[in-house]
Each structure stands twice: as C-alpha cells, then as structure tokens.
Amino acid sequence: MHRRDRRHDRSARRRTALALSAALLAAAPLLTACGGEAHPGAAAVVGGERIDVAGLQAEVKAARDAQSRSPQSAQLIAATGDLGRQKLNGMIFDRILDEVAADLGVTASRAELQQTRAAFVRENGGEEGLRAVLLQQQGVAPSQVDDVVRRNVLMTKIIEKLGITETPEGQKKLQDLFAEASAALDIDVNPRYGAWDDARVQLDTGADTTPWLLKVTQDGAAAGAEQLPG
C-alpha cells in the first residue's frame, strides 16, 4: 500500500472514532429526572468506582470558563445547556472504553497520543484552531483536549483490531461489544442525571432517543467531514 493510501486510511479511521465520540456526547435530550441518591456525593458508580459530583462539576466549570472567554460565549453556552449531563455521559463512556481496551489488550502509548494530537492540530489550522473547534462542538476546555485525544486513539485501535467497518454491520458489532462491557460494569447513575442505558451505551431519561452508534451510521458522512471528536 502506498504511503499516501495509508495516510488516507488512518485519517478515515480517526474520523470514524471521532464521529463515534462526538455522537456519544450529543445523542439524548435534556434531563428532567430527579430523586434520592443511592451513593451520596456520587454522580455515578461504574464498576464499583465513583465519579464524584465534585469532579463532574470541575469538568463543567473548566468548559464554562473557556466558553465565557470566547467572543461567541453566549452561543456556545446556549448550545451546550445540558453540559453537566454531556460531561457525565463522556466520563462514564471513558470507563467503558478503558474496560473494552483492556480486554482487547489495546493501549495508547505516549508517542501515539502525541502523533494523534499533532494530526488534529494540522487538520484544524493549529493548536488554537483545534481548541476552538472542540470548545464549539463539544464544550471541551483546553485542559480536556488530551482526554479527547486519548479516547480517539483507543477507539481507533479498537476499530482497527476488530476490523470494524463503517457499515450497519460494523456499527452493530461495535455497539454490541460496548453494550456487553457496559452491562458488566453494573453502572449506577444518580437519578438527578438520568439513568444509564447499557444497550444504547448512553444516559437516558426515558425519552425515545436514537442510540449514539446508530446515529453515527445515519449521520456518518456529515460527522466524518468535521474531522473532530467524548
């Protein structure tokens, strides 16, 4: 395979992983649920490990602070009104991703993280361009960019290892894998943030929402063209 073709294939795999991450963070409606806490102070418990409300709030604050410094602050904040839920969705998914990666023997080396970040920087006109687009599209603060890069490296390597294709069959294979890992982690979410749906691998408030992997299948061309990734 020619070097140019290999670069094209790597870029396509990155776009697939980025689209999956992006769709995850935007797949469901606003929260309305509330109720008592089974684990006081926890936003969620994943595999017996807590995601503390304080940690979640710190993630949200970092993003809101970055948005407030933007000339488009009002639009950015309005577009991510349910940012707390989106951040929790991503934090839970990252725990599932780690579980899947460990089961498959997939890791993200420092060199791979650096190479992937450098590719994102090039594709978006520099470091500032990358930060601006991530903040606009996903409410990602500059301090959270490395988390997005790591998520992308792991997703890309999982896709490569399993031979996942951008087809309905490929998407189903990937969703089934993550749904199984999600169920095994026995995820418990504080009712104020909704409930976790193992089959859809996302937070759910009982509304009829499109599973995030299916959403990627439907909107893959548009999502992939954005070149950016939760």
Side-chain angles (χ1 to χ4, degrees):
M1 183 182 291
H2 294 299
R3 182 176 300 176
R4 183 175 180 180
D5 292 334
R6 288 198 298 269
R7 285 199 303 267
H8 175 77
D9 288 344
R10 285 196 297 269
S11 179
R13 287 191 292 267
R14 281 201 307 272
R15 287 196 298 270
T16 298
L18 292 170
L20 295 174
S21 299
L24 162 70
L25 299 179
L30 297 178
L31 287 175
T32 56
C34 61
E37 297 183 29
H39 305 277
V45 178
V46 183
E49 297 183 0
R50 294 162 60 97
I51 297 176
D52 289 333
V53 171
L56 173 60
Q57 290 174 340
E59 290 275 312
V60 173
K61 184 179 185 303
R64 289 296 189 216
D65 288 348
Q67 289 175 333
S68 68
R69 294 191 293 268
S70 170
Q72 294 82 37
S73 59
Q75 297 94 314
L76 293 178
I77 292 171
T80 54
D82 196 21
L83 189 57
R85 182 195 170 281
Q86 293 177 26
K87 289 294 184 185
L88 181 57
N89 212 15
M91 293 169 79
I92 294 173
F93 177 77
D94 282 343
R95 303 287 181 92
I96 302 170
L97 176 60
D98 286 344
E99 187 76 8
V100 172
D103 287 345
L104 293 174
V106 169
T107 59
S109 70
R110 182 175 180 180
E112 289 168 333
L113 295 173
Q114 291 173 338
Q115 291 166 4
T116 298
R117 179 157 184 158
F120 290 162
V121 168
R122 287 194 303 271
E123 291 167 358
N124 292 276
E127 186 70 33
E128 289 304 313
L130 173 63
R131 292 178 178 182
V133 175
L134 282 175
L135 183 64
Q136 179 181 9
Q137 292 184 354
Q138 294 184 37
V140 173
S143 61
Q144 299 162 354
V145 173
D146 284 341
D147 295 334
V148 175
V149 172
R150 180 178 181 277
R151 180 186 304 146
N152 214 268
V153 170
L154 290 177
M155 284 293 295
T156 300
K157 293 183 73 173
I158 289 169
I159 288 168
E160 290 176 340
K161 185 160 188 173
L162 297 179
I164 300 294
T165 57
E166 292 187 70
T167 63
E169 293 78 16
Q171 296 293 336
K172 184 178 187 305
K173 181 178 180 180
L174 194 63
Q175 181 158 343
D176 288 347
L177 174 67
F178 276 79
E180 182 178 354
S182 175
L185 287 171
D186 192 22
I187 298 168
D188 185 16
V189 175
N190 187 316
R192 74 175 68 175
Y193 299 106
W196 187 259
D197 187 326
D198 290 319
R200 296 186 174 206
V201 199
Q202 68 178 39
L203 279 170
D204 190 10
T205 60
D208 184 15
T209 57
T210 303
W212 63 276
L213 284 173
L214 179 58
K215 186 177 189 300
V216 171
T217 302
Q218 295 172 340
D219 301 336
E226 292 174 358
Q227 304 253 337
L228 277 171

